[in-house]
Every structure is written in structure tokens, then in C-alpha cells.
Amino acid sequence: MTHNVSRRTLAKGAAWAAPAVVATAAIPAYAASMSCPDDIDIQVEEIFQKRLASLPSLRNTNIRFWFTNNSGSNGALHTSNLRMQITNGGSLDVSTLPFGFEFAQRNVATSPAINKLFGGGTIRSARMPAEWPATGKWNTRTGVADASPAAINVDNPNAPNQRDVSHASAFMNVYSADGRYNNLGSAEVGEETGVAEGNHLKWLFTIKPNTRATKGSAVDFINSHWRDASVVGSGAIYTAIGVRPVGFLPPSFNEVRASIGSSVDQECLLDAYTKRVAIWNNSNERFAGATIQFSGWSHDTSGDTKAVTYSGGDYVYSNEIGAFQGVTPAGNAGTGFNGSTSNAITFFNNQLVGLTRGQDTQLGYQLMYADGIW
């Protein structure tokens, strides 16, 4: 259960537990000798160009992601997966050239995927709410959503309470998500280690080379184990997960520092490094020709399950493109709902209704599996 003090709050609080020590010593002699060369940007650029020149070609490589839901009700003890399959690959098996993705955990109140296809309409005899509630509960006769327990801390990664979770995988390595791209080596993270950015917490994961993940198998790239989301006296924290492809990581700050040398001022070097990383992260060169796709059933209003090629620089969220039921072969493969249909409109219209409480119907269960909310 998520209480008023989460593990993340405790972790942050530990940094303030010890009294501050006022520095009175003289500035070290080496600090005065540090400089900011006029050509620092050029020096950093040369290091980045060497990294680009070393990247293998991934022109025949396709990397596909999709989200699966395995069990549980929204806001309760739950498990979810980010599934991945790499086809026509092999060039990712280079341990010194990590290929990565930013992974996000976002507090949400609704599912744009459900709303796009069914918001305010009907599924068989069931009236649908204009906006799907994160609770997954509504009145099938009136379409009125049940907002209890209310969604709290929506789009607020800095709130004291965050959803307790463990994100782990045998197919990933963890890198620092603070913009310095240092290898942390861990294979499991939780909400207390996420970096708050905009409306989400984020981590940086890379594909571990020479595993089933790089040999064509469909794998659970990230396994997420969610704890109870209720917050005493407040409501509940409902979450979605998202992915933003990074591609081959740029040289880490530590690599650049080692190459440039210690005589350059830290802030000077960090400023030049940060500017060059921003260019890297907005260039398709980082993908080295690879095609990255996301499978979902709400890319458009047709309801068809599609693998859509990623473009731009935004996150792709589970509650925006829809999730699949992981216990079915088609869902586990990210290709549809069952053996007979890959269309969401057809699938949901084949579900039984019959009861006023939507969450108690077959339809309600299937919608919660698919809404991309945990």
C-alpha cells in the first residue's frame, strides 16, 4: 500500500538527514588553474563524431514494442510488461555501444485509447462514459463514471506519494537518466530512483547484448510489479508506462571528461556536453538506420491492431495506444485480442454486458485489461 510517505520520499529525505557542513577551507590550487577553452565545443564534437563513426549499420533491423497486462484491477496489486521483439538484427550485440530507451512511469486519470474509440458512445447495450475513469468502474445504463477512489497526483512526479513499483528485466542494463549516460549496472529499479521530468518519472534502459532479446525472440523487456495504489484518506495513484527511443547512447560524460582531461572546468565541460547531447537526441543518426515500431489498437479510430513506425521525440504511452491481455497468444505477441480478431471495436462488441456495474461484466474486465492503466 502507498502511504503518506513512500520509499521515494524516504530516499530523498535521507539526503537532508545530516546537518550541513560549512566549508571554510581555501579554494584548492588546481581550481584556479582550470579553464574553459574557446574551442571546448569543437573538442567535444570530435569525441561525438568518433562515436558516430563507430556505430554499426542497423538498416535491416526492426525493433517492435507493445504493452501487456497480466492480472489485477486498476490501482491494485498488479503486473504489467513492456514486450519487445528485434527482427533481422544482430548488430546490437556490441557491448561497448549500448542501444537505449527512456522508460517512464506517469500518474494518469483516464485512457485516451478507450476514449478515442468508445468515449460517450455505446458498446452493445452498455453506455460508455465520455471519459474513461482510471478506476475502470462505471454505470452501464447511464454511462456515468465512478470516480472513487479518485485519481490523485495526476501528471505530478514530484508529489510526496508515488506508486510503489519494481521495474526489472534480464534483458536490460540501467544507465543514469540525469543526462550524463553513465552505466549504473543495475537490473532493477523502483519509483525512488526515478528522475522527475515534466509529467513523469523516468529511467534509462539499454538492450543487453547477446541475449534472446537480440536473437529475434519476443521477450518481456521490462517487468513491472505494482503495489497497491491507495493513499489513506486521499484516493489512489493510477499509472501508465511509456517509452521514448534514444537509440545508440552518446558518449557518457565520464568518457568525455577522460578524453578532454581534468584541466577543463567542470561546469564549462558539462555545458558543452549537454548542448551536444541535445543535438544527438534530436538526430536520427542515433538510430543508425533501425526501424522502431509500437504495436497498439488505438493508433487511429479504426480499432485495428497496427505496428506503427516511431517518429519524433515524444514518449509513447500504454494508455494512449492501448494494451493487450498477456495471457492470450495474440495479446502476448502484440498482434490482437484472440485467434479470431485483431480489431478492438469488434472484440469489445463481442463481450457480455448484462449488469449495471460495468466492472462486474465481461466487457468491464476486458476494457481494464486493455486501457493501459495499472
Side-chain angles (χ1 to χ4, degrees):
M1 177 176 290
T2 302
H3 298 285
N4 290 330
V5 179
S6 72
R7 290 188 290 142
R8 183 167 178 264
T9 304
L10 291 172
K12 292 172 67 177
W16 299 96
V21 177
V22 178
T24 57
I27 297 174
Y30 73 84
S33 66
M34 285 189 172
S35 64
C36 188
D38 291 338
D39 67 343
I40 186 62
D41 290 336
I42 296 175
Q43 293 186 50
V44 170
E45 178 65 26
E46 289 176 351
I47 297 170
F48 274 70
Q49 287 300 322
K50 288 180 181 178
R51 174 57 56 85
L52 284 172
S54 69
L55 299 183
S57 173
L58 299 183
R59 292 190 183 279
N60 295 318
T61 299
N62 186 80
I63 305 172
R64 183 172 67 95
F65 289 102
W66 64 100
F67 304 100
T68 61
N69 188 342
N70 293 317
S71 64
S73 300
N74 293 357
L77 192 67
H78 218 131
T79 60
S80 65
N81 301 105
L82 171 65
R83 300 270 291 164
M84 179 183 71
Q85 185 174 31
I86 301 174
T87 54
N88 299 322
S91 297
L92 285 174
D93 289 331
V94 184
S95 60
T96 57
L97 297 172
F99 197 97
F101 306 84
E102 287 184 345
F103 181 80
Q105 171 181 329
R106 179 180 177 183
N107 304 331
V108 299
T110 189
S111 170
I114 299 289
N115 298 337
K116 183 185 294 183
L117 269 64
F118 306 111
T122 59
I123 300 179
R124 297 189 69 171
S125 63
R127 288 210 54 84
M128 292 292 292
E131 184 172 277
W132 177 252
T135 61
K137 302 175 181 178
W138 87 106
N139 186 305
T140 61
R141 302 291 184 263
T142 65
V144 175
D146 185 349
S148 179
I152 63 173
N153 298 341
V154 175
D155 286 342
N156 185 2
N158 292 300
N161 291 299
Q162 296 297 325
R163 182 79 174 272
D164 283 349
V165 68
S166 171
H167 302 300
S169 173
F171 304 109
M172 73 176 189
N173 290 315
V174 182
Y175 280 68
S176 62
D178 59 359
R180 300 195 183 193
Y181 298 94
N182 294 315
N183 189 346
L184 303 180
S186 172
E188 180 175 348
V189 298
E191 80 290 343
E192 73 280 1
T193 63
V195 174
E197 177 187 74
N199 57 15
H200 57 270
L201 294 174
K202 73 172 185 177
W203 299 264
L204 178 59
F205 301 143
T206 64
I207 300 172
K208 188 176 291 186
N210 293 308
T211 64
R212 287 195 301 118
T214 62
K215 307 301 182 185
S217 299
V219 300
D220 292 337
F221 185 55
I222 308 294
N223 300 296
S224 300
H225 300 273
W226 305 94
R227 281 69 165 186
D228 184 13
S230 59
V231 178
V232 178
S234 298
I237 305 171
Y238 303 96
T239 46
I241 53 178
V243 179
R244 188 184 76 84
V246 175
F248 283 110
L249 302 193
S252 71
F253 181 75
N254 287 348
E255 290 178 89
V256 174
R257 163 58 82 189
S259 180
I260 296 291
S262 60
S263 62
V264 175
D265 178 76
Q266 177 89 350
E267 290 188 9
C268 167
L269 182 58
L270 184 58
D271 179 64
Y273 175 78
T274 302
K275 288 189 296 184
R276 186 57 182 87
V277 164
I279 296 172
W280 180 284
N281 286 338
N282 285 282
S283 169
N284 284 333
E285 288 181 314
R286 60 197 163 117
F287 297 133
T291 298
I292 299 173
Q293 296 180 315
F294 286 86
S295 288
W297 50 264
S298 192
H299 286 294
D300 54 40
T301 58
S302 71
D304 290 333
T305 298
K306 298 177 180 179
V308 173
T309 299
Y310 177 82
S311 61
D314 295 333
Y315 282 87
V316 177
Y317 280 98
S318 56
N319 64 331
E320 293 176 343
I321 66 171
F324 299 97
Q325 190 171 346
V327 297
T328 68
N332 200 43
T335 57
F337 296 89
N338 52 37
S340 61
T341 182
S342 60
N343 182 275
I345 296 173
T346 300
F347 176 74
F348 290 118
N349 273 285
N350 285 334
Q351 306 305 308
L352 297 177
V353 183
L355 298 173
T356 301
R357 284 165 47 92
Q359 63 270 26
D360 294 333
T361 68
Q362 184 185 52
L363 172 63
Y365 284 122
Q366 294 297 341
L367 285 170
M368 274 205 296
Y369 273 119
D371 66 7
I373 300 175
W374 290 278

